[in-house]
Amino acid sequence: MKVIDVYQQYFAAECVYQGVERRGVSVKLTAVSEEGTIRYEVSVSFFPHLTPEDFSVSYDAYAQQTLFAEQGRRSKKRDAEYLKKVPAAADALAEALGGTIAWDKPLREARYDG
């Protein structure tokens, strides 16, 4: 199995989960290829972000959604197609956890692997 984080970025956020205030969120698009199949997943993980240097992600406020899973291979075209779907999918996951993502307030530059 090959797992690649196609995209990851940290944003300011608002969420209270298990009584803990979370002020940051990690948003990822991950490609998982295994035995001739490819799967694209979006995930969000809210974390406290107590200081500007605090990126210690706690995985209890975490959710993921599979966007695509079929026979095939990873490609730049598929990466681009599913990257466009990240904001809407991440917003839905954040809402399910009781949080919101401040897309206009990135905490770090986006990281792409492609």
Side-chain angles (χ1 to χ4, degrees):
M1 178 181 341
K2 188 171 184 180
V3 179
I4 298 171
D5 289 331
V6 175
Y7 162 82
Q8 181 179 23
Q9 191 166 11
Y10 295 89
F11 294 92
E14 291 184 16
C15 184
V16 176
Y17 192 83
Q18 294 188 0
V20 178
E21 184 177 355
R22 318 299 171 111
R23 297 184 191 135
V25 64
S26 169
V27 177
K28 285 185 186 182
L29 174 65
T30 304
V32 181
S33 60
E34 181 177 29
E35 299 179 7
T37 63
I38 184 71
R39 185 173 70 239
Y40 283 90
E41 301 171 342
V42 172
S43 63
V44 297
S45 186
F46 287 91
F47 59 100
H49 194 58
L50 300 174
T51 68
E53 294 81 29
D54 177 19
F55 289 90
S56 55
V57 175
S58 53
Y59 289 96
D60 60 341
Y62 173 88
Q64 86 176 36
Q65 174 187 0
T66 299
L67 297 178
F68 176 86
E70 288 187 16
Q71 293 288 331
R73 301 169 49 145
R74 178 178 175 225
S75 69
K76 290 187 182 286
K77 183 179 176 183
R78 279 195 174 142
D79 285 0
E81 178 182 347
Y82 292 104
L83 192 56
K84 291 177 190 174
K85 298 179 181 192
V86 168
D91 281 339
L93 293 170
E95 185 178 335
L97 292 170
T100 58
I101 300 169
W103 295 103
D104 60 337
K105 296 179 182 174
L107 300 175
R108 286 199 173 165
E109 293 286 321
R111 202 178 67 198
Y112 297 93
D113 185 350

